[in-house]
Amino acid sequence: MSAADLAILNEAKANIATYPKWLQDDFTIDNLKKHHQVASVEVRQAPQSMPIFWAASKPVPKYGAAAGDGCLTPAQKDKLDKDCHTIGTILSGAVSALKVVDLFEKDPKIKKDIELAEQIIEAVNTELIANITRIVDEACGTCSQITQAVQDAVDTIEETIAQADPDWKNNAVFKAVVAAIQSILSLVASVCPSQQQTTMLGAAKIDPAQIAAIGKQIWNIVEDNQPVVNATVDWAGAVPQGIDDWTKLSGWKDYISKEYEFIFKNAVGMTLSSFTWTFKFNYAGQYNGTGQYVQGLGASVSKVYAYLSEHVSVDCKAFNPLNYGTEASPSAGMDYQVTMTSHGYFEKTQVGCHILAKGDGEFKVVSCDQNM
């Protein structure tokens, strides 16, 4: 091993010795060698021309306070001061890890990715901490300024990595960059819990004005005369684009409709089959005080009846949601249909009920066989 290589290892060991115990466990030299073995198999080639990094190409931004956003408290400033040291430790640790991996790597293509990752992390370490420190030192620095500083860094890092490797989420080297930045976001969120709109690396951007469907699109609630609905998973919803978990919204209210019924009788008035149900959904959900959204849209089975010769099945379909409000004040709406099929020895009949559920609580029957 050359003197230069030995110096890299010694520097890494010295840095690791100063880390918290949980960080030391991840950054032992043996573990780094193991990470290298994984990376050498999984990492893809970076392009020949590397993009200019945000730290070198952008001036330090001036973050303005959001309306109604109070000044950082002394406790928050003290926490951020300490967190800046921790952030620097984490990022320095990630760079040390990559340098050790680079030391053992022989493939020139993989080395390019490693060197790019090192540059990105070092740029963030310098610029992001400088921005946070400057905001803390202001007379009235705010949480929104801190969050915006981190968000700008996240956006630019993701853009830079994506230019180097569009499939970066599956690139073992760049996962080290992601892990380091995610640690930063967690620290910031703990200081400013009301400002948790910062987008994680690789996560979909949240747009309250764009309505997206969550949950299921098509599912069965009755099969061969037996209810099979599972209220935990059998539902649909309309939420802001980028949201995949309805619990991130608040202010939900419940809606349950009256009972609806399909019934089939023979020529002499004898009931052959029937299905009774109610519609239900949650409405008025808001994302950080914005919008009116829908979740939990489905049908609750009250009763299923089938004569010996009959077979009943019921399926549901949720349609693509729409924004019935405005871009500034979105209101989600989703069409939903229940379809019953009943068949015996000689005939098969199908009926349906189509409704519209809105985020403002409106419930509208569009068409419903036997119930209009």
Side-chain angles (χ1 to χ4, degrees), residues 72-101:
L72 291 168
T73 66
Q76 286 175 316
K77 289 188 174 185
D78 182 62
K79 180 72 164 55
L80 283 167
D81 275 333
K82 294 176 180 178
D83 284 347
C84 281
H85 174 73
T86 303
I87 289 169
T89 298
I90 292 171
L91 295 180
S92 296
V95 171
S96 292
L98 290 171
K99 285 183 177 179
V100 173
V101 172

Side-chain angles (χ1 to χ4, degrees), residues 6-69:
L6 184 60
I8 291 174
L9 279 176
N10 288 336
E11 180 184 0
K13 289 179 180 178
N15 287 337
I16 289 168
T18 67
Y19 300 160
K21 182 64 171 63
W22 62 269
L23 202 56
Q24 290 184 32
D25 292 340
D26 285 339
F27 285 101
T28 63
I29 298 301
D30 286 341
N31 280 346
L32 294 177
K33 290 179 180 178
K34 292 177 184 177
H35 294 330
H36 157 261
Q37 292 170 356
V38 174
S40 64
V41 175
E42 295 183 1
V43 172
R44 296 175 49 182
Q45 178 183 5
Q48 294 296 320
S49 58
M50 297 300 175
I52 298 175
F53 303 114
W54 73 288
S57 62
K58 291 186 178 181
V60 175
K62 297 184 182 300
Y63 301 100
D69 190 16

Side-chain angles (χ1 to χ4, degrees), residues 19 44 54 56 85 98-99 127 224-225 262 277 316 365:
Y19 300 160
R44 296 175 49 182
W54 73 288
H85 174 73
L98 290 171
K99 285 183 177 179
E127 295 297 322
D224 197 20
N225 307 332
F262 293 137
W277 79 98
C316 301
V365 176

Side-chain angles (χ1 to χ4, degrees), residues 1-284:
M1 181 177 292
S2 68
D5 291 345
L6 184 60
I8 291 174
L9 279 176
N10 288 336
E11 180 184 0
K13 289 179 180 178
N15 287 337
I16 289 168
T18 67
Y19 300 160
K21 182 64 171 63
W22 62 269
L23 202 56
Q24 290 184 32
D25 292 340
D26 285 339
F27 285 101
T28 63
I29 298 301
D30 286 341
N31 280 346
L32 294 177
K33 290 179 180 178
K34 292 177 184 177
H35 294 330
H36 157 261
Q37 292 170 356
V38 174
S40 64
V41 175
E42 295 183 1
V43 172
R44 296 175 49 182
Q45 178 183 5
Q48 294 296 320
S49 58
M50 297 300 175
I52 298 175
F53 303 114
W54 73 288
S57 62
K58 291 186 178 181
V60 175
K62 297 184 182 300
Y63 301 100
D69 190 16
C71 301
L72 291 168
T73 66
Q76 286 175 316
K77 289 188 174 185
D78 182 62
K79 180 72 164 55
L80 283 167
D81 275 333
K82 294 176 180 178
D83 284 347
C84 281
H85 174 73
T86 303
I87 289 169
T89 298
I90 292 171
L91 295 180
S92 296
V95 171
S96 292
L98 290 171
K99 285 183 177 179
V100 173
V101 172
D102 191 22
L103 179 64
F104 291 98
E105 181 56 59
K106 304 302 181 185
D107 188 330
K109 297 177 182 178
I110 295 177
K111 289 177 78 71
K112 286 183 179 291
D113 274 351
I114 295 172
E115 291 164 4
L116 171 61
E118 290 176 27
Q119 294 176 57
I120 292 172
I121 294 177
E122 287 177 334
V124 173
N125 198 5
T126 301
E127 295 297 322
L128 180 58
I129 290 180
N131 286 335
I132 292 177
T133 301
R134 177 179 56 76
I135 294 168
V136 169
D137 289 341
E138 289 181 359
C140 187
T142 66
C143 271
S144 64
Q145 291 175 292
I146 297 292
T147 302
Q148 187 61 52
V150 176
Q151 183 66 68
D152 286 351
V154 168
D155 290 343
T156 309
I157 292 164
E158 184 171 324
E159 179 182 348
T160 301
I161 298 176
Q163 290 179 37
D165 183 357
D167 192 31
W168 64 271
K169 294 178 186 178
N170 297 316
N171 185 316
V173 167
F174 292 143
K175 286 179 181 178
V177 179
V178 173
I181 302 303
Q182 308 301 43
S183 298
I184 293 173
L185 300 185
S186 296
L187 288 172
V188 173
S190 70
V191 178
C192 298
S194 64
Q195 293 287 331
Q196 295 184 27
Q197 297 186 45
T198 305
T199 303
M200 305 296 271
L201 274 168
K205 302 298 188 295
I206 297 173
D207 185 352
Q210 299 298 315
I211 311 298
I214 59 170
K216 292 186 175 181
Q217 183 179 21
I218 298 175
W219 65 96
N220 296 330
I221 59 175
V222 176
E223 292 181 357
D224 197 20
N225 307 332
Q226 297 298 318
V228 294
V229 64
N230 181 346
T232 303
V233 296
D234 293 337
W235 56 269
V239 298
Q241 181 176 288
I243 291 287
D244 56 5
D245 181 358
W246 64 268
T247 62
K248 295 178 181 177
L249 279 63
S250 60
W252 294 108
K253 298 179 182 179
D254 299 328
Y255 178 89
I256 300 177
S257 74
K258 69 174 187 179
E259 283 195 337
Y260 291 80
E261 184 179 49
F262 293 137
I263 184 168
F264 294 99
K265 297 182 179 181
N266 61 14
V268 296
M270 174 183 171
T271 298
L272 299 176
S273 63
S274 66
F275 170 59
T276 308
W277 79 98
T278 56
F279 292 103
K280 61 181 184 63
F281 64 96
N282 301 115
Y283 67 97

